[in-house]
Amino acid sequence: MDQEDRIALFLDYENLALGVRDHHGGRAFDLRPIADALAERGRVVVRRAYADWSYFDEDRRMLTRSHVELIEIPQRMGASRKNAADIKMAVDAVELAFEREYISTFVIGTGDSDFTPLVHKLRELNKRVIGVGVENSTSALLPPACDEFLFYDRLEGVEVPPAAGRRARAARPAGTGAPPPAERPVEPPTEPPAEAAPPAEEPARDVDTLSVLVAQTVAGMQGSSSGEVTASGLKRTLLRKDPTFSESDYGFRTFGELLRHLAGHNVIELAAGPAKGDPEVSLPERGDREVAFALLRSVVVDLAGEGGAAALSGLKDQLRRARPDFSEKKLGYRSFLQFCKAAATSGAVELRWSADAEDYLLTPQTA
């Protein structure tokens, strides 16, 4: 048990409940998918939810059954509905961070960007912060501030209406806390709304994109550290780059399954690591890189001719004509110039800067 993370869960309940209702076809918020996701990450020792519970009577029963402490934030006439809950939740979280040193992880359930300073402060106090929010009502400022961010819509057990996951973000600013049902004016039916704009396309999450991301990350970790790169360290680094990263978005059940798939496609190599189930990850020393260097050399020979040189500008396009799937990023290089420098180091080509041409020139390496 001493090795387990102790987790404190804080829910800006109105933000989550209204976000689910507005973007999931009026469905009720369900704590179980969040609880299950946190159970995989550690032991939840504090559960608190903040709201004016007179507006969430049914939800109160559900949360009580899940052993959540309900913090009442009554909304008095003339008081700011939003800031009262925000300030109370932020003060309680910081107070707990000082009083309970054994709590290593704070989970902040909200999509409101006003909680970003709280996230920064908790991380200053050496606490890991996981955010949870509804995708279409989460401010773009909040996920990058966290160590990890879980979109409620993508959690196991959440049923999302077909259009909800792809719908463009609502016009209402994220995290502003819409009025509760009792305070919202009821508008009479009007003529049918105009045809909705085409849904915003989600960013591509294909394995090819994933290969580039992993190869670049492993290369960067190898270059900045003398120690080996482990699977657990790689996963933490990927989350630091993108707190919303999840292997399930690419169709893999576990991170280990993802790594085995990439190893099978020669993107990475796996070897026994310092602990069971935590293999060492590295880039292939041979194989695709040697093939790519040979391809570069052959293209330079064709372009340069006898005693000539090929300019770096436009060279990548020539490589892609010869091999359409060429990508230096899949090989772990951050730029085409870095790839060419590596090829020069390996002896495949010679690379030099030409002041006259104001470009790098490549020539085939002579024996």
Side-chain angles (χ1 to χ4, degrees):
M1 182 180 292
D2 290 339
Q3 303 302 318
E4 291 181 320
D5 279 343
R6 267 69 163 192
I7 299 173
L9 172 63
F10 287 81
L11 300 175
D12 177 10
Y13 194 78
E14 183 176 316
N15 182 279
L16 291 175
L18 294 182
V20 171
R21 190 192 68 186
D22 291 347
H23 299 287
H24 288 209
R27 298 183 183 183
F29 171 81
D30 183 8
L31 181 66
R32 175 51 53 187
I34 295 177
D36 289 345
L38 297 184
E40 298 168 355
R41 289 162 171 79
R43 180 171 168 238
V44 182
V45 296
V46 175
R47 299 175 178 87
R48 295 181 186 174
Y50 296 73
D52 183 342
W53 297 107
S54 61
Y55 295 113
F56 301 100
D57 194 49
E58 290 298 322
D59 304 60
R60 178 156 55 179
R61 295 187 182 90
M62 177 268 295
L63 293 170
T64 301
R65 287 194 298 269
S66 299
H67 310 287
V68 176
E69 181 184 359
L70 306 182
I71 308 299
E72 179 72 35
I73 308 293
Q75 305 301 336
R76 298 180 299 276
M77 185 66 67
S80 170
R81 301 184 59 261
K82 175 174 178 294
N83 289 339
D86 291 5
I87 294 172
K88 172 64 173 170
M89 183 167 146
V91 169
D92 285 357
V94 172
E95 182 180 42
L96 200 67
F98 280 105
E99 291 185 348
R100 305 287 190 268
E101 292 186 2
Y102 58 82
I103 295 178
S104 56
T105 301
F106 281 75
V107 178
I108 308 299
T110 185
D112 191 345
S113 63
D114 285 355
F115 283 99
T116 304
L118 170 62
V119 172
H120 290 318
K121 179 55 64 177
L122 290 172
R123 295 185 69 183
E124 285 179 20
L125 295 172
N126 198 29
K127 305 297 182 181
R128 186 167 185 262
V129 181
I130 300 175
V132 181
V134 179
E135 190 163 5
N136 284 339
S137 63
T138 294
S139 167
L141 298 175
L142 189 59
C146 301
D147 292 294
E148 182 179 3
F149 198 92
L150 306 175
F151 285 116
Y152 175 84
D153 322 58
R154 301 182 191 175
L155 295 178
E156 186 69 29
V158 176
E159 295 183 8
V160 183
R166 298 183 296 272
R167 189 165 51 194
R169 185 163 298 190
R172 177 171 59 85
T176 56
E183 297 181 11
R184 288 187 174 181
V186 178
E187 298 181 0
T190 58
E191 58 185 81
E195 185 177 348
E201 291 187 5
E202 294 180 341
R205 291 182 178 270
D206 55 31
V207 179
D208 197 50
T209 302
L210 180 64
S211 299
V212 171
L213 174 64
V214 172
Q216 284 186 318
T217 303
V218 172
M221 293 176 70
Q222 287 180 329
S224 62
S225 173
S226 57
E228 69 272 5
V229 177
T230 62
S232 58
L234 175 60
K235 177 68 178 287
R236 288 193 297 269
T237 304
L238 290 171
L239 284 171
R240 283 195 289 268
K241 285 186 170 184
D242 178 10
T244 68
F245 171 81
S246 174
E247 59 273 5
S248 63
D249 290 338
Y250 299 90
F252 299 98
R253 295 170 297 177
T254 65
F255 191 63
E257 181 180 329
L258 181 156
L259 294 180
R260 290 190 292 274
H261 173 86
L262 295 181
H265 286 74
N266 205 35
V267 176
I268 57 173
E269 289 181 347
L270 298 177
K276 185 178 180 181
D278 192 15
E280 182 180 343
V281 186
S282 61
L283 294 175
E285 291 300 324
R286 304 191 63 81
D288 281 0
R289 275 197 278 186
E290 272 58 35
V291 172
F293 291 162
L295 173 66
L296 174 65
R297 188 181 190 285
S298 66
V299 170
V300 169
V301 168
D302 291 342
L303 293 176
E306 186 66 30
L312 181 69
S313 301
L315 184 58
K316 184 174 178 178
D317 291 336
Q318 298 296 326
L319 262 69
R320 282 184 168 167
R321 288 192 180 95
R323 182 176 167 182
D325 64 342
F326 170 80
S327 170
E328 75 280 358
K329 292 181 172 60
K330 287 184 184 178
L331 301 171
Y333 299 105
R334 298 184 180 277
S335 67
F336 185 63
L337 175 59
Q338 186 186 27
F339 166 75
C340 291
K341 288 180 177 179
T345 301
S346 73
V349 294
E350 291 182 352
L351 178 70
R352 61 182 176 84
W353 173 258
S354 170
D356 294 335
E358 294 185 345
D359 199 356
Y360 283 97
L361 298 180
L362 292 89
T363 55
Q365 182 73 278
T366 56

